[in-house]
Amino acid sequence: MLHEAYTDFALGKIGSYARLYSSKETKELLRENGYFITMMMDREKVSSGSHRAEAGVKAWIGFDRFYKWTCRTMLGSGFNHVNKRDQQPLVLVFLDVEGTADGRFQDQVQGIHFHSIWIVPDHLKEQFDEWIMSPETRNQARHKFAIKNMDVKRVDGTPRKVLSYAGKFMKSDRLISPVSKLFDVYPKGLAGIDDGPMKGV
């Protein structure tokens, strides 16, 4: 099934990151450096009453810009230089909409949001903790990136359980083409991690 395939794919990305860029095992890395962040997008700004593909594209633009803004804040204007990519947070992000948890999902997108797992390098954890909870960060997220609100928690649970919940939209039997992308990995261009879309799906 699509849901299990993407869960395995995302779990493999965390494992690769742990092996290539950390001295910690996957479970330890998630427990000590992981954040589960749910971002509810502003319904009016992303036109979430439209077809899911159109709304999804606008929402993804907002998330992409938020990630880059986060990295710029943490690492400076040269954050995307090839020598700094391994210093950026690893993020696995899944698109979701209202109703997927209890089967009420409809063709019209309502309540579009993202479930994201952020793995923050040790040297950024203290700064990230303070920054992500700041009222000013929340205010900027609303005004600049159409993120209405954020729920920030430390990762709790096994890697597979966390990823399975994050990707629950893929369980829907209403998931038909055309559709916005449902999953992405950051940072872009990080060797061994950003290898393009999953093959065979």
Side-chain angles (χ1 to χ4, degrees), residues 60-103:
W60 277 111
I61 290 172
F63 185 91
D64 182 78
R65 291 175 176 171
F66 178 81
Y67 177 82
K68 291 173 180 175
W69 180 58
T70 301
C71 291
R72 187 177 296 109
T73 300
M74 301 287 112
L75 298 168
S77 59
F79 73 91
N80 207 35
H81 189 278
V82 64
N83 292 332
K84 283 193 173 182
R85 285 178 189 158
D86 63 348
Q87 299 179 40
Q88 298 177 32
L90 173 70
V91 176
L92 300 102
V93 53
F94 296 81
L95 181 144
D96 199 4
V97 298
E98 184 180 305
T100 55
D102 55 14

Side-chain angles (χ1 to χ4, degrees), residues 34-39 60 63 66 90-95 113-119 150-153 155 162-163 166-167 184 186:
Y35 299 77
F36 190 89
I37 303 179
T38 298
M39 300 181 181
W60 277 111
F63 185 91
F66 178 81
L90 173 70
V91 176
L92 300 102
V93 53
F94 296 81
L95 181 144
H113 56 281
F114 293 104
H115 297 297
S116 57
I117 294 91
W118 295 61
I119 298 177
M150 288 190 291
D151 180 56
V152 180
K153 299 176 180 177
V155 168
V162 171
L163 290 166
D184 210 347
Y186 292 82

